[in-house]
Amino acid sequence: MEKVRLQKFMADAGVASRRKSEEMIAAGHVKVNNKVVTEMGVKVDNHDKIEVDGMPLQEEKKRYILMYKPRGVISAVKDDKDRKVVTDLLEEDVQERVYPIGRLDYDTSGLLLLTNDGEFANHLMHPRYHVDKTYVAKIEGILATEEIKKLENGIKLKGYTTSKAKVKVMSKDKKKNSSIVKITIHEGHNHQVKNMFDAVGHKVEKLARESYSFLTLDGLVSGKYRDLTRQEVAELKKSK
């Protein structure tokens, strides 16, 4: 194996993303051949003895998982409040140290990807790659035409302006004063969909991610998962 930078080796082994791995190195959590390493330029391969917080590290085979995340589960590998996390839903067939790509809110359900491939995760989360993510939201009230146009053209939120979105009202219930709306975005800011609807005066009561790029939840029930096919992984890697 050709020597690679330590942070890349860690990301490829499923420890964390490359950026997070760099933070762990800088904080002194990593040893190479029994010596603590805090610099980013060190290169390693499988012949080196690498430890993270005292645990030996070897490069894992790559794993790519599509999960139907239920509501009430954290998009993380651990939670300081001891709430259920998405990796708790994985069965014994997943021995690799996978982690979620991006996140879905605690009270949001739907399609979530997990992997131990740091480069793959960084590629999909990088702002330059426009990966469509489609959500179905139940909101308070009925969207007016001008509100739909605002959502479609971009909304100014705290610290940024959203890119153009696709919006389709699926149904309206005037008696209950609520609507079901499908919205497609390609960014991934924290609470973005909820904040977009708040910005036009409509609170999100329920939210689910229906698709991610060309991937859907077809064939899955809440709390279950499947491995991505080689072709699906290859297509996602080609996202531009």
Side-chain angles (χ1 to χ4, degrees):
M1 175 185 175
E2 182 182 349
K3 283 186 176 287
V4 298
R5 290 185 182 273
L6 178 57
Q7 58 267 40
K8 181 180 187 306
F9 190 96
M10 290 170 62
D12 289 344
V15 175
S17 68
R18 194 179 298 191
R19 182 176 296 178
K20 184 66 177 177
S21 294
E22 290 176 349
E23 294 174 3
M24 295 171 74
I25 294 168
H29 290 279
V30 185
K31 285 184 179 181
V32 177
N33 300 326
N34 299 316
K35 292 183 179 180
V36 174
V37 172
T38 57
E39 298 177 358
M40 299 302 130
V42 175
K43 291 190 174 183
V44 298
D45 61 24
N46 277 328
H47 298 294
D48 292 298
K49 180 183 177 184
I50 303 164
E51 297 172 281
V52 179
D53 291 329
M55 296 293 291
L57 182 65
Q58 289 183 325
E59 188 174 19
E60 296 180 317
K61 75 168 186 176
K62 301 293 191 296
R63 194 77 184 259
Y64 309 90
I65 292 171
L66 187 161
M67 176 181 285
Y68 189 156
K69 184 188 102 61
R71 298 178 74 190
V73 179
I74 301 292
S75 296
V77 297
K78 60 181 178 179
D79 179 61
D80 55 9
K81 297 179 182 177
D82 204 30
R83 293 171 293 182
K84 182 177 282 191
V85 296
V86 290
T87 48
D88 291 333
L89 302 176
L90 300 174
E91 298 177 5
E92 291 183 1
D93 66 306
V94 182
Q95 296 294 317
E96 296 80 11
R97 288 166 291 190
V98 297
Y99 53 89
I101 298 176
R103 66 190 303 274
L104 290 179
D105 291 341
Y106 180 74
D107 59 351
T108 298
S109 64
L111 198 157
L112 182 69
L113 298 179
L114 298 94
T115 190
N116 59 350
D117 185 339
E119 282 194 13
F120 179 76
N122 289 336
H123 174 85
L124 291 180
M125 290 190 293
H126 198 287
R128 92 167 69 130
Y129 302 115
H130 294 177
V131 180
D132 282 347
K133 296 175 262 301
T134 299
Y135 297 80
V136 175
K138 180 181 179 183
I139 64 170
E140 289 182 352
I142 310 297
L143 277 176
T145 301
E146 58 269 23
E147 292 169 344
I148 294 174
K149 288 181 179 178
K150 286 181 180 179
L151 291 170
E152 290 179 331
N153 291 330
I155 292 283
K156 189 172 183 179
L157 300 178
K158 189 176 181 180
Y160 68 99
T161 300
T162 65
S163 298
K164 291 186 176 182
K166 298 175 184 175
V167 179
K168 182 178 181 180
V169 178
M170 307 298 289
S171 65
K172 306 174 186 177
D173 190 328
K174 292 185 178 180
K175 288 185 178 180
K176 294 184 178 179
N177 191 35
S178 65
S179 307
I180 304 296
V181 182
K182 182 179 288 191
I183 181 168
T184 300
I185 62 173
H186 59 250
E187 301 140 305
H189 295 286
N190 199 25
H191 307 305
Q192 180 175 335
V193 173
K194 293 176 182 176
N195 291 339
M196 288 174 72
F197 281 110
D198 279 342
V200 293
H202 298 274
K203 181 181 178 182
V204 172
E205 297 179 338
K206 199 172 181 180
L207 185 65
R209 184 193 281 168
E210 184 177 76
S211 65
Y212 188 104
S213 186
F214 58 87
L215 298 171
T216 70
L217 293 167
D218 290 353
L220 286 180
V221 296
S222 182
K224 297 299 181 181
Y225 60 91
R226 69 171 178 84
D227 284 290
L228 295 180
T229 66
R230 288 184 181 181
Q231 183 177 354
E232 287 171 337
V233 172
E235 286 296 318
L236 289 170
K237 286 182 176 179
K238 290 191 290 186
S239 300
K240 293 182 179 180

